[in-house]
Structures are given as C-alpha cells and as structure tokens.
C-alpha cells in the first residue's frame, strides 16, 4: 500500500515570501501525485498533478511542484505568496493502476501581512 | 458544468435519527467517491463506485453506514442510526477513468 507524509502540519509565512510545503510518499509501484488546496468551508480543489514526463509541474495560482523519484518527494513551492493563499494543502498519491487516492494529513499555510 | 453537487450543505440532527446525504457527480464521470473529513482522522475514503457499482467499501465505519448509486447521476450516503461521533464533513468526488478527482463542497453533519 502507498502512504503520504506531509512533513509540516503548519507553515506560517509573511506575504510575498517564498514557501515550500513538503511531501514524501512511499509506494512499491508507480504512482501519480497530486496537490489539492482546501479553502475554509470549501471542498478540495486540484492545484497540480504529476502523471508522467517533466518532473517540474506547474499548477494554478503560481504554484509548482517537483517530482523527485530517488527521494520519493513531491514538494510544493511558490516564489511569492499572497494573503489569499491561506488554506490547507493536501498531497495525495494514487497507484497508476489503481483508483484510491491516499491523502497526507494536510499542511495549513497561513500567510500573514 | 456545475461541478459535483452535494445536498444538504449543512445538516443538524439528533442522535438516533436517520441521515441521508446526496451527491450528483459531474456528467460523464464514471467514478464516484465518498470521503469523511474530521480533525482527528483527516480525510478518509469511505466507499467508491465505478459505473454505479460499489468497488471498495472497506472504509465504511460500520453497518450503520450504507451507500447507493442507483444511476450515473445520483448517489446517497445514509447513516442509520446516527451518533455524535459521526459529526464530520462528508465529501463526494467524481472522476473520469481514474484521473483527477473533482470534489463537491461537502456536507457538514452535526449529530447532537
């Protein structure tokens, strides 16, 4: 079975600072990787996904993530955050042959003025 | 497309009552998922369907929970009888061919 570990439960940053949210996964088979964002009182929205090809993936709202197979990581980055990026971020993994998404425990990003 | 639609958005009920949560997936999607989100346990997959057939219900907590998908455009999650520990946000999601899942806005359930 696969598993996902989000290394930070809370990340406070100041507006316009860069941010990195860390995600490591464990799987014995090939996987697809996702980052979702959840704004308060809303459902999850896909930020970006890695299926194959270039290991650097660009998503919505200026976020990007890099798939590192040797380190089994998929860290999310943004060079300059806004107040509106305050939300909870979830890393998720699915076997390429499977249907079940496995989510990490989430990272609460708080952007302060 | 209107996205995944869930109803009701909020439900407050008393312990022992039956609760029915509803979901309309995105048209054309062949997978439907029910999740539960709590502070203590995070996001948990309860059950998922493929082409209206339940594939994996190993996440359903106990016999008090049941889910159906009578057709491609409608699914229900029922809790009978409800208990305070069932209080959570329940999400429905749908996907096409095991690709990215699209989530509904959720139903916030409070059992008193």
């Amino acid at each position: 079975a696969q598993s996902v570990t989000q290394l930070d439960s809370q990340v406070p940053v100041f507006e316009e600072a860069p941010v990195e949210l860390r995600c490591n996964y464990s799987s014995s088979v090939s996987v697809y990787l996702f980052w979702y964002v959840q704004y308060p009182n809303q459902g999850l929205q896909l930020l970006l996904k890695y299926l194959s090809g270039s290991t650097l993936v660009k998503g919505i709202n200026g976020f990007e993530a890099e798939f590192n197979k040797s380190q089994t990581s998929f860290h999310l980055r943004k060079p300059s955050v806004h107040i509106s990026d305050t939300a909870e971020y979830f890393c998720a993994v699915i076997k390429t042959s499977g249907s079940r998404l496995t989510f990490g425990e989430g990272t609460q990003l708080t952007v302060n003025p | 497309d209107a996205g995944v639609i869930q109803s009701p958005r909020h439900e407050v009920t008393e312990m022992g009552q039956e609760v029915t949560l509803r979901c309309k997936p995105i048209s054309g999607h062949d997978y439907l998922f029910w999740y539960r989100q709590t502070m203590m346990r995070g996001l948990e997959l309860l059950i998922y369907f493929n082409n209206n057939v339940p594939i994996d219900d190993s996440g359903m907590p106990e016999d008090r929970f049941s889910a159906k998908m009578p057709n491609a455009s409608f699914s229900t999650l029922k809790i009978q009888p409800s208990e305070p520990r069932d209080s959570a946000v329940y999400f429905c999601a749908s996907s096409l061919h095991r690709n990215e899942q699209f989530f509904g806005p959720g139903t916030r359930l409070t059992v008193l």
Side-chain angles (χ1 to χ4, degrees), chain A residues 19-80:
Chain A
V19 71
E20 178 180 79
L21 306 184
R22 298 180 293 168
C23 172
N24 285 98
Y25 70 93
S26 173
S27 177
S28 58
V29 298
S30 296
V31 297
Y32 298 140
L33 295 150
F34 303 83
W35 274 99
Y36 282 84
V37 59
Q38 184 178 28
Y39 299 104
N41 300 314
Q42 295 187 27
L44 279 71
Q45 178 183 1
L46 184 70
L47 265 182
L48 48 79
K49 59 186 176 184
Y50 173 78
L51 303 181
S52 64
S54 172
T55 57
L56 183 62
V57 180
K58 293 189 182 298
I60 62 171
N61 300 340
F63 284 93
E64 63 181 31
E66 185 154 20
F67 170 56
N68 188 319
K69 189 174 181 179
S70 62
Q71 297 187 7
T72 60
S73 67
F74 191 54
H75 301 333
L76 181 70
R77 301 186 184 97
K78 186 170 182 178
S80 176

Short mmCIF file of all heavy atoms in Angstrom, two decimals, chain A residues 19-80:
data_model
loop_
_atom_site.label_atom_id
_atom_site.label_comp_id
_atom_site.label_asym_id
_atom_site.label_seq_id
_atom_site.Cartn_x
_atom_site.Cartn_y
_atom_site.Cartn_z
N VAL A 19 7.56 30.04 -0.34
CA VAL A 19 7.12 28.97 0.55
C VAL A 19 7.36 27.61 -0.11
O VAL A 19 7.31 27.48 -1.34
CB VAL A 19 5.63 29.13 0.92
CG1 VAL A 19 4.73 28.82 -0.27
CG2 VAL A 19 5.27 28.24 2.10
N GLU A 20 7.66 26.62 0.72
CA GLU A 20 7.76 25.24 0.26
C GLU A 20 7.00 24.36 1.24
O GLU A 20 7.24 24.42 2.45
CB GLU A 20 9.22 24.78 0.19
CG GLU A 20 9.35 23.32 -0.23
CD GLU A 20 10.79 22.84 -0.31
OE1 GLU A 20 11.38 22.55 0.75
OE2 GLU A 20 11.32 22.76 -1.44
N LEU A 21 6.08 23.57 0.72
CA LEU A 21 5.34 22.61 1.53
C LEU A 21 5.84 21.22 1.13
O LEU A 21 5.80 20.85 -0.04
CB LEU A 21 3.83 22.72 1.27
CG LEU A 21 3.23 24.11 1.45
CD1 LEU A 21 1.71 24.06 1.26
CD2 LEU A 21 3.58 24.72 2.79
N ARG A 22 6.27 20.46 2.13
CA ARG A 22 6.97 19.22 1.84
C ARG A 22 6.06 18.00 1.87
O ARG A 22 5.18 17.89 2.74
CB ARG A 22 8.13 19.04 2.82
CG ARG A 22 9.19 20.14 2.71
CD ARG A 22 10.30 19.93 3.71
NE ARG A 22 9.84 20.09 5.09
CZ ARG A 22 10.55 19.74 6.15
NH1 ARG A 22 11.73 19.17 5.99
NH2 ARG A 22 10.07 19.95 7.37
N CYS A 23 6.32 17.11 0.93
CA CYS A 23 5.53 15.88 0.83
C CYS A 23 6.46 14.74 0.43
O CYS A 23 7.18 14.84 -0.56
CB CYS A 23 4.43 16.04 -0.22
SG CYS A 23 3.53 14.51 -0.60
N ASN A 24 6.41 13.68 1.19
CA ASN A 24 7.12 12.44 0.84
C ASN A 24 6.11 11.31 0.73
O ASN A 24 5.11 11.29 1.44
CB ASN A 24 8.17 12.09 1.91
CG ASN A 24 9.37 12.99 1.81
OD1 ASN A 24 9.49 13.96 2.55
ND2 ASN A 24 10.26 12.69 0.89
N TYR A 25 6.37 10.39 -0.16
CA TYR A 25 5.45 9.28 -0.33
C TYR A 25 6.21 7.97 -0.29
O TYR A 25 7.43 7.93 -0.44
CB TYR A 25 4.68 9.41 -1.65
CG TYR A 25 5.54 9.18 -2.87
CD1 TYR A 25 5.64 7.92 -3.46
CD2 TYR A 25 6.26 10.23 -3.43
CE1 TYR A 25 6.44 7.71 -4.56
CE2 TYR A 25 7.08 10.03 -4.53
CZ TYR A 25 7.15 8.77 -5.09
OH TYR A 25 7.96 8.56 -6.18
N SER A 26 5.46 6.92 -0.08
CA SER A 26 6.04 5.58 -0.06
C SER A 26 5.14 4.68 -0.89
O SER A 26 3.92 4.65 -0.69
CB SER A 26 6.11 5.05 1.37
OG SER A 26 6.51 3.70 1.39
N SER A 27 5.76 3.98 -1.86
CA SER A 27 4.99 3.06 -2.67
C SER A 27 5.94 2.07 -3.35
O SER A 27 7.02 2.45 -3.77
CB SER A 27 4.18 3.81 -3.73
OG SER A 27 3.49 2.89 -4.55
N SER A 28 5.49 0.85 -3.48
CA SER A 28 6.30 -0.18 -4.14
C SER A 28 6.04 -0.23 -5.64
O SER A 28 6.72 -0.96 -6.36
CB SER A 28 6.02 -1.55 -3.51
OG SER A 28 4.64 -1.85 -3.62
N VAL A 29 5.06 0.55 -6.10
CA VAL A 29 4.72 0.57 -7.52
C VAL A 29 4.67 2.01 -8.00
O VAL A 29 4.75 2.95 -7.22
CB VAL A 29 3.37 -0.13 -7.77
CG1 VAL A 29 3.43 -1.58 -7.35
CG2 VAL A 29 2.25 0.59 -7.03
N SER A 30 4.53 2.17 -9.31
CA SER A 30 4.48 3.51 -9.89
C SER A 30 3.21 4.23 -9.44
O SER A 30 2.15 3.62 -9.29
CB SER A 30 4.49 3.42 -11.42
OG SER A 30 5.69 2.86 -11.87
N VAL A 31 3.35 5.52 -9.23
CA VAL A 31 2.24 6.32 -8.74
C VAL A 31 2.08 7.61 -9.53
O VAL A 31 3.00 8.05 -10.23
CB VAL A 31 2.42 6.68 -7.24
CG1 VAL A 31 2.41 5.43 -6.38
CG2 VAL A 31 3.69 7.49 -7.02
N TYR A 32 0.90 8.18 -9.41
CA TYR A 32 0.64 9.55 -9.83
C TYR A 32 0.54 10.38 -8.55
O TYR A 32 0.11 9.88 -7.51
CB TYR A 32 -0.68 9.65 -10.60
CG TYR A 32 -0.74 8.86 -11.88
CD1 TYR A 32 -1.90 8.18 -12.24
CD2 TYR A 32 0.34 8.81 -12.76
CE1 TYR A 32 -1.99 7.46 -13.42
CE2 TYR A 32 0.27 8.09 -13.95
CZ TYR A 32 -0.89 7.42 -14.28
OH TYR A 32 -0.96 6.71 -15.44
N LEU A 33 0.89 11.65 -8.66
CA LEU A 33 0.93 12.52 -7.48
C LEU A 33 0.12 13.78 -7.72
O LEU A 33 0.09 14.31 -8.84
CB LEU A 33 2.39 12.89 -7.15
CG LEU A 33 3.24 11.69 -6.73
CD1 LEU A 33 4.68 11.89 -7.12
CD2 LEU A 33 3.13 11.47 -5.23
N PHE A 34 -0.50 14.26 -6.65
CA PHE A 34 -1.38 15.42 -6.74
C PHE A 34 -1.16 16.34 -5.53
O PHE A 34 -0.78 15.88 -4.44
CB PHE A 34 -2.86 14.98 -6.71
CG PHE A 34 -3.24 14.01 -7.79
CD1 PHE A 34 -3.00 12.65 -7.64
CD2 PHE A 34 -3.85 14.45 -8.95
CE1 PHE A 34 -3.35 11.74 -8.64
CE2 PHE A 34 -4.22 13.55 -9.95
CZ PHE A 34 -3.96 12.20 -9.79
N TRP A 35 -1.44 17.61 -5.75
CA TRP A 35 -1.61 18.55 -4.65
C TRP A 35 -3.00 19.17 -4.79
O TRP A 35 -3.38 19.65 -5.88
CB TRP A 35 -0.56 19.67 -4.69
CG TRP A 35 0.73 19.33 -4.01
CD1 TRP A 35 1.89 18.91 -4.60
CD2 TRP A 35 1.01 19.41 -2.61
NE1 TRP A 35 2.86 18.71 -3.65
CE2 TRP A 35 2.35 19.02 -2.42
CE3 TRP A 35 0.26 19.79 -1.49
CZ2 TRP A 35 2.96 18.98 -1.17
CZ3 TRP A 35 0.87 19.75 -0.24
CH2 TRP A 35 2.20 19.35 -0.09
N TYR A 36 -3.73 19.15 -3.67
CA TYR A 36 -5.03 19.78 -3.60
C TYR A 36 -4.96 20.92 -2.58
O TYR A 36 -4.21 20.86 -1.60
CB TYR A 36 -6.10 18.79 -3.13
CG TYR A 36 -6.59 17.83 -4.19
CD1 TYR A 36 -5.89 16.64 -4.46
CD2 TYR A 36 -7.74 18.08 -4.93
CE1 TYR A 36 -6.35 15.75 -5.42
CE2 TYR A 36 -8.20 17.20 -5.89
CZ TYR A 36 -7.50 16.03 -6.12
OH TYR A 36 -7.95 15.16 -7.08
N VAL A 37 -5.84 21.92 -2.77
CA VAL A 37 -5.96 23.01 -1.82
C VAL A 37 -7.40 23.05 -1.32
O VAL A 37 -8.34 22.79 -2.08
CB VAL A 37 -5.55 24.37 -2.44
CG1 VAL A 37 -6.41 24.73 -3.64
CG2 VAL A 37 -5.63 25.48 -1.40
N GLN A 38 -7.54 23.33 -0.03
CA GLN A 38 -8.87 23.45 0.57
C GLN A 38 -8.96 24.79 1.28
O GLN A 38 -8.29 25.01 2.30
CB GLN A 38 -9.16 22.31 1.54
CG GLN A 38 -10.56 22.34 2.11
CD GLN A 38 -10.85 21.19 3.05
OE1 GLN A 38 -9.96 20.65 3.69
NE2 GLN A 38 -12.11 20.79 3.12
N TYR A 39 -9.80 25.68 0.75
CA TYR A 39 -10.07 26.95 1.41
C TYR A 39 -11.13 26.73 2.48
O TYR A 39 -11.90 25.77 2.40
CB TYR A 39 -10.50 28.00 0.39
CG TYR A 39 -9.44 28.28 -0.64
CD1 TYR A 39 -9.54 27.77 -1.94
CD2 TYR A 39 -8.31 29.04 -0.33
CE1 TYR A 39 -8.56 28.00 -2.88
CE2 TYR A 39 -7.32 29.28 -1.26
CZ TYR A 39 -7.45 28.75 -2.54
OH TYR A 39 -6.47 28.97 -3.47
N PRO A 40 -11.20 27.60 3.47
CA PRO A 40 -12.15 27.39 4.58
C PRO A 40 -13.58 27.14 4.09
O PRO A 40 -14.07 27.85 3.21
CB PRO A 40 -12.03 28.70 5.36
CG PRO A 40 -10.65 29.18 5.09
CD PRO A 40 -10.36 28.79 3.67
N ASN A 41 -14.16 26.11 4.63
CA ASN A 41 -15.57 25.76 4.35
C ASN A 41 -15.83 25.43 2.89
O ASN A 41 -16.94 25.65 2.39
CB ASN A 41 -16.50 26.89 4.80
CG ASN A 41 -16.38 27.15 6.28
OD1 ASN A 41 -16.37 26.22 7.09
ND2 ASN A 41 -16.25 28.41 6.66
N GLN A 42 -14.81 24.94 2.21
CA GLN A 42 -14.97 24.54 0.82
C GLN A 42 -14.44 23.13 0.60
O GLN A 42 -13.78 22.55 1.48
CB GLN A 42 -14.25 25.52 -0.11
CG GLN A 42 -14.83 26.93 -0.10
CD GLN A 42 -14.19 27.81 -1.15
OE1 GLN A 42 -13.71 27.32 -2.18
NE2 GLN A 42 -14.19 29.11 -0.90
N GLY A 43 -14.73 22.59 -0.56
CA GLY A 43 -14.19 21.30 -0.94
C GLY A 43 -12.75 21.44 -1.41
O GLY A 43 -12.18 22.52 -1.42
N LEU A 44 -12.16 20.31 -1.79
CA LEU A 44 -10.78 20.31 -2.27
C LEU A 44 -10.74 20.67 -3.75
O LEU A 44 -11.58 20.22 -4.53
CB LEU A 44 -10.14 18.94 -2.06
CG LEU A 44 -9.63 18.64 -0.66
CD1 LEU A 44 -10.77 18.44 0.33
CD2 LEU A 44 -8.72 17.42 -0.69
N GLN A 45 -9.73 21.42 -4.11
CA GLN A 45 -9.55 21.85 -5.49
C GLN A 45 -8.15 21.43 -5.94
O GLN A 45 -7.17 21.62 -5.21
CB GLN A 45 -9.69 23.38 -5.57
CG GLN A 45 -9.48 23.97 -6.94
CD GLN A 45 -9.56 25.49 -6.92
OE1 GLN A 45 -9.75 26.11 -5.88
NE2 GLN A 45 -9.39 26.10 -8.07
N LEU A 46 -8.06 20.88 -7.14
CA LEU A 46 -6.77 20.42 -7.64
C LEU A 46 -5.87 21.60 -7.96
O LEU A 46 -6.26 22.51 -8.69
CB LEU A 46 -6.96 19.56 -8.88
CG LEU A 46 -5.68 18.94 -9.44
CD1 LEU A 46 -5.15 17.86 -8.50
CD2 LEU A 46 -5.91 18.37 -10.83
N LEU A 47 -4.65 21.58 -7.41
CA LEU A 47 -3.65 22.60 -7.72
C LEU A 47 -2.79 22.16 -8.90
O LEU A 47 -2.53 22.94 -9.81
CB LEU A 47 -2.71 22.78 -6.51
CG LEU A 47 -2.99 23.87 -5.49
CD1 LEU A 47 -1.90 23.85 -4.44
CD2 LEU A 47 -3.08 25.24 -6.16
N LEU A 48 -2.31 20.94 -8.83
CA LEU A 48 -1.46 20.41 -9.90
C LEU A 48 -1.34 18.90 -9.75
O LEU A 48 -1.70 18.34 -8.71
CB LEU A 48 -0.07 21.06 -9.89
CG LEU A 48 0.67 21.15 -8.56
CD1 LEU A 48 1.33 19.84 -8.16
CD2 LEU A 48 1.73 22.25 -8.61
N LYS A 49 -0.82 18.28 -10.80
CA LYS A 49 -0.68 16.83 -10.78
C LYS A 49 0.56 16.42 -11.57
O LYS A 49 0.96 17.10 -12.53
CB LYS A 49 -1.91 16.15 -11.38
CG LYS A 49 -2.19 16.56 -12.81
CD LYS A 49 -3.51 15.97 -13.31
CE LYS A 49 -3.83 16.47 -14.72
NZ LYS A 49 -5.15 15.99 -15.20
N TYR A 50 1.15 15.30 -11.15
CA TYR A 50 2.23 14.68 -11.90
C TYR A 50 1.75 13.31 -12.36
O TYR A 50 1.44 12.45 -11.54
CB TYR A 50 3.50 14.54 -11.07
CG TYR A 50 4.56 13.75 -11.81
CD1 TYR A 50 5.31 14.35 -12.82
CD2 TYR A 50 4.76 12.39 -11.56
CE1 TYR A 50 6.24 13.62 -13.54
CE2 TYR A 50 5.69 11.67 -12.27
CZ TYR A 50 6.42 12.27 -13.26
OH TYR A 50 7.34 11.54 -13.99
N LEU A 51 1.74 13.12 -13.68
CA LEU A 51 1.36 11.83 -14.24
C LEU A 51 2.57 11.17 -14.91
O LEU A 51 2.83 9.98 -14.74
CB LEU A 51 0.22 11.98 -15.25
CG LEU A 51 -1.07 12.64 -14.71
CD1 LEU A 51 -2.13 12.71 -15.80
CD2 LEU A 51 -1.59 11.90 -13.50
N SER A 52 3.29 11.97 -15.69
CA SER A 52 4.49 11.47 -16.36
C SER A 52 5.18 12.67 -17.00
O SER A 52 4.70 13.80 -16.93
CB SER A 52 4.14 10.44 -17.43
OG SER A 52 3.37 11.03 -18.45
N GLY A 53 6.35 12.43 -17.61
CA GLY A 53 7.03 13.49 -18.34
C GLY A 53 7.89 14.35 -17.45
O GLY A 53 8.53 13.86 -16.51
N SER A 54 7.89 15.66 -17.71
CA SER A 54 8.74 16.58 -16.96
C SER A 54 8.46 16.49 -15.48
O SER A 54 7.31 16.47 -15.04
CB SER A 54 8.50 18.01 -17.45
OG SER A 54 9.17 18.93 -16.61
N THR A 55 9.54 16.46 -14.72
CA THR A 55 9.38 16.32 -13.26
C THR A 55 8.97 17.62 -12.60
O THR A 55 8.58 17.62 -11.43
CB THR A 55 10.68 15.81 -12.63
OG1 THR A 55 11.75 16.71 -12.96
CG2 THR A 55 11.02 14.41 -13.13
N LEU A 56 9.08 18.73 -13.30
CA LEU A 56 8.64 20.01 -12.76
C LEU A 56 7.24 20.29 -13.31
O LEU A 56 7.05 20.42 -14.52
CB LEU A 56 9.60 21.13 -13.15
CG LEU A 56 9.28 22.51 -12.59
CD1 LEU A 56 9.33 22.51 -11.07
CD2 LEU A 56 10.23 23.56 -13.16
N VAL A 57 6.31 20.40 -12.40
CA VAL A 57 4.91 20.56 -12.80
C VAL A 57 4.41 21.92 -12.35
O VAL A 57 4.62 22.31 -11.19
CB VAL A 57 4.05 19.46 -12.15
CG1 VAL A 57 2.60 19.62 -12.55
CG2 VAL A 57 4.56 18.08 -12.53
N LYS A 58 3.78 22.62 -13.25
CA LYS A 58 3.22 23.93 -12.90
C LYS A 58 1.70 23.81 -12.73
O LYS A 58 1.03 23.10 -13.52
CB LYS A 58 3.57 24.96 -13.96
CG LYS A 58 5.07 25.25 -14.01
CD LYS A 58 5.40 26.42 -14.90
CE LYS A 58 6.90 26.66 -14.96
NZ LYS A 58 7.49 26.98 -13.64
N GLY A 59 1.18 24.50 -11.72
CA GLY A 59 -0.24 24.43 -11.48
C GLY A 59 -0.89 25.80 -11.48
O GLY A 59 -0.33 26.76 -11.99
N ILE A 60 -2.06 25.86 -10.86
CA ILE A 60 -2.78 27.12 -10.82
C ILE A 60 -2.23 28.02 -9.72
O ILE A 60 -1.52 27.55 -8.82
CB ILE A 60 -4.29 26.88 -10.60
CG1 ILE A 60 -4.53 26.17 -9.26
CG2 ILE A 60 -4.86 26.06 -11.75
CD1 ILE A 60 -5.99 26.08 -8.88
N ASN A 61 -2.56 29.29 -9.80
CA ASN A 61 -2.22 30.27 -8.77
C ASN A 61 -0.72 30.41 -8.53
O ASN A 61 -0.31 30.78 -7.43
CB ASN A 61 -2.91 29.93 -7.44
CG ASN A 61 -4.43 29.90 -7.57
OD1 ASN A 61 -5.00 30.47 -8.50
ND2 ASN A 61 -5.08 29.22 -6.65
N GLY A 62 0.11 30.10 -9.53
CA GLY A 62 1.55 30.30 -9.42
C GLY A 62 2.30 29.22 -8.66
O GLY A 62 3.50 29.36 -8.40
N PHE A 63 1.62 28.13 -8.31
CA PHE A 63 2.28 27.03 -7.61
C PHE A 63 2.97 26.09 -8.60
O PHE A 63 2.54 25.94 -9.74
CB PHE A 63 1.27 26.24 -6.78
CG PHE A 63 0.87 26.93 -5.51
CD1 PHE A 63 -0.24 27.76 -5.47
CD2 PHE A 63 1.61 26.75 -4.34
CE1 PHE A 63 -0.61 28.40 -4.29
CE2 PHE A 63 1.24 27.38 -3.16
CZ PHE A 63 0.13 28.21 -3.14
N GLU A 64 4.02 25.45 -8.13
CA GLU A 64 4.69 24.41 -8.89
C GLU A 64 5.20 23.35 -7.93
O GLU A 64 5.33 23.59 -6.71
CB GLU A 64 5.85 24.97 -9.72
CG GLU A 64 6.98 25.57 -8.90
CD GLU A 64 8.09 26.13 -9.78
OE1 GLU A 64 7.81 26.61 -10.89
OE2 GLU A 64 9.24 26.08 -9.33
N ALA A 65 5.47 22.18 -8.47
CA ALA A 65 5.98 21.08 -7.64
C ALA A 65 6.98 20.29 -8.47
O ALA A 65 6.87 20.22 -9.70
CB ALA A 65 4.85 20.18 -7.17
N GLU A 66 7.91 19.68 -7.78
CA GLU A 66 8.92 18.87 -8.46
C GLU A 66 8.87 17.44 -7.96
O GLU A 66 8.97 17.19 -6.75
CB GLU A 66 10.31 19.44 -8.25
CG GLU A 66 11.38 18.69 -9.04
CD GLU A 66 12.59 19.55 -9.35
OE1 GLU A 66 12.79 20.57 -8.66
OE2 GLU A 66 13.33 19.19 -10.28
N PHE A 67 8.73 16.53 -8.88
CA PHE A 67 8.73 15.10 -8.56
C PHE A 67 10.17 14.63 -8.51
O PHE A 67 10.93 14.79 -9.47
CB PHE A 67 7.95 14.34 -9.62
CG PHE A 67 8.06 12.84 -9.52
CD1 PHE A 67 7.73 12.18 -8.35
CD2 PHE A 67 8.51 12.09 -10.60
CE1 PHE A 67 7.83 10.80 -8.26
CE2 PHE A 67 8.61 10.70 -10.52
CZ PHE A 67 8.27 10.06 -9.35
N ASN A 68 10.56 14.04 -7.38
CA ASN A 68 11.90 13.50 -7.22
C ASN A 68 11.76 12.03 -6.87
O ASN A 68 11.47 11.66 -5.73
CB ASN A 68 12.66 14.25 -6.12
CG ASN A 68 14.12 13.85 -6.06
OD1 ASN A 68 14.45 12.67 -6.19
ND2 ASN A 68 15.00 14.83 -5.87
N LYS A 69 11.99 11.19 -7.89
CA LYS A 69 11.76 9.76 -7.69
C LYS A 69 12.76 9.15 -6.71
O LYS A 69 12.40 8.32 -5.88
CB LYS A 69 11.83 9.03 -9.03
CG LYS A 69 11.39 7.59 -8.97
CD LYS A 69 11.33 6.96 -10.35
CE LYS A 69 10.86 5.52 -10.26
NZ LYS A 69 10.76 4.90 -11.61
N SER A 70 13.99 9.58 -6.76
CA SER A 70 15.02 8.99 -5.90
C SER A 70 14.78 9.32 -4.44
O SER A 70 15.07 8.51 -3.55
CB SER A 70 16.41 9.46 -6.33
OG SER A 70 16.53 10.86 -6.18
N GLN A 71 14.22 10.50 -4.19
CA GLN A 71 13.92 10.89 -2.82
C GLN A 71 12.45 10.67 -2.47
O GLN A 71 12.03 11.01 -1.36
CB GLN A 71 14.30 12.36 -2.59
CG GLN A 71 15.80 12.62 -2.76
CD GLN A 71 16.21 14.03 -2.37
OE1 GLN A 71 15.41 14.79 -1.85
NE2 GLN A 71 17.46 14.37 -2.63
N THR A 72 11.71 10.13 -3.39
CA THR A 72 10.26 9.90 -3.23
C THR A 72 9.59 11.13 -2.62
O THR A 72 8.89 11.05 -1.60
CB THR A 72 9.96 8.64 -2.39
OG1 THR A 72 10.52 8.77 -1.09
CG2 THR A 72 10.51 7.41 -3.06
N SER A 73 9.83 12.27 -3.25
CA SER A 73 9.25 13.51 -2.75
C SER A 73 8.50 14.24 -3.85
O SER A 73 8.74 14.02 -5.05
CB SER A 73 10.34 14.42 -2.18
OG SER A 73 11.19 14.89 -3.21
N PHE A 74 7.61 15.11 -3.43
CA PHE A 74 6.81 15.92 -4.36
C PHE A 74 6.49 17.22 -3.64
O PHE A 74 5.36 17.50 -3.26
CB PHE A 74 5.55 15.15 -4.75
CG PHE A 74 4.78 15.75 -5.90
CD1 PHE A 74 5.38 16.03 -7.13
CD2 PHE A 74 3.41 16.01 -5.78
CE1 PHE A 74 4.67 16.57 -8.18
CE2 PHE A 74 2.68 16.54 -6.84
CZ PHE A 74 3.32 16.82 -8.03
N HIS A 75 7.49 18.05 -3.45
CA HIS A 75 7.34 19.28 -2.69
C HIS A 75 6.67 20.37 -3.51
O HIS A 75 6.96 20.53 -4.70
CB HIS A 75 8.69 19.78 -2.19
CG HIS A 75 9.42 18.81 -1.31
ND1 HIS A 75 8.77 17.84 -0.55
CD2 HIS A 75 10.76 18.63 -1.08
CE1 HIS A 75 9.66 17.12 0.12
NE2 HIS A 75 10.87 17.58 -0.19
N LEU A 76 5.83 21.13 -2.85
CA LEU A 76 5.09 22.23 -3.49
C LEU A 76 5.77 23.55 -3.17
O LEU A 76 6.14 23.79 -2.01
CB LEU A 76 3.65 22.23 -2.95
CG LEU A 76 2.70 23.29 -3.51
CD1 LEU A 76 2.35 22.99 -4.97
CD2 LEU A 76 1.42 23.33 -2.66
N ARG A 77 5.87 24.42 -4.19
CA ARG A 77 6.58 25.69 -3.98
C ARG A 77 5.80 26.83 -4.63
O ARG A 77 5.07 26.64 -5.60
CB ARG A 77 7.98 25.64 -4.60
CG ARG A 77 8.88 24.56 -4.04
CD ARG A 77 10.29 24.70 -4.61
NE ARG A 77 11.14 23.61 -4.14
CZ ARG A 77 11.38 22.50 -4.84
NH1 ARG A 77 10.86 22.35 -6.04
NH2 ARG A 77 12.16 21.57 -4.34
N LYS A 78 6.02 28.02 -4.05
CA LYS A 78 5.54 29.24 -4.67
C LYS A 78 6.54 30.33 -4.33
O LYS A 78 6.90 30.48 -3.16
CB LYS A 78 4.13 29.61 -4.20
CG LYS A 78 3.55 30.81 -4.93
CD LYS A 78 2.08 31.01 -4.64
CE LYS A 78 1.54 32.20 -5.45
NZ LYS A 78 0.09 32.42 -5.24
N PRO A 79 6.99 31.09 -5.32
CA PRO A 79 8.06 32.06 -5.06
C PRO A 79 7.61 33.28 -4.24
O PRO A 79 8.43 33.89 -3.57
CB PRO A 79 8.51 32.48 -6.46
CG PRO A 79 7.40 32.11 -7.37
CD PRO A 79 6.68 30.96 -6.75
N SER A 80 6.31 33.59 -4.30
CA SER A 80 5.84 34.77 -3.58
C SER A 80 4.36 34.57 -3.24
O SER A 80 3.52 34.52 -4.15
CB SER A 80 6.02 36.03 -4.45
OG SER A 80 5.48 37.16 -3.82
#
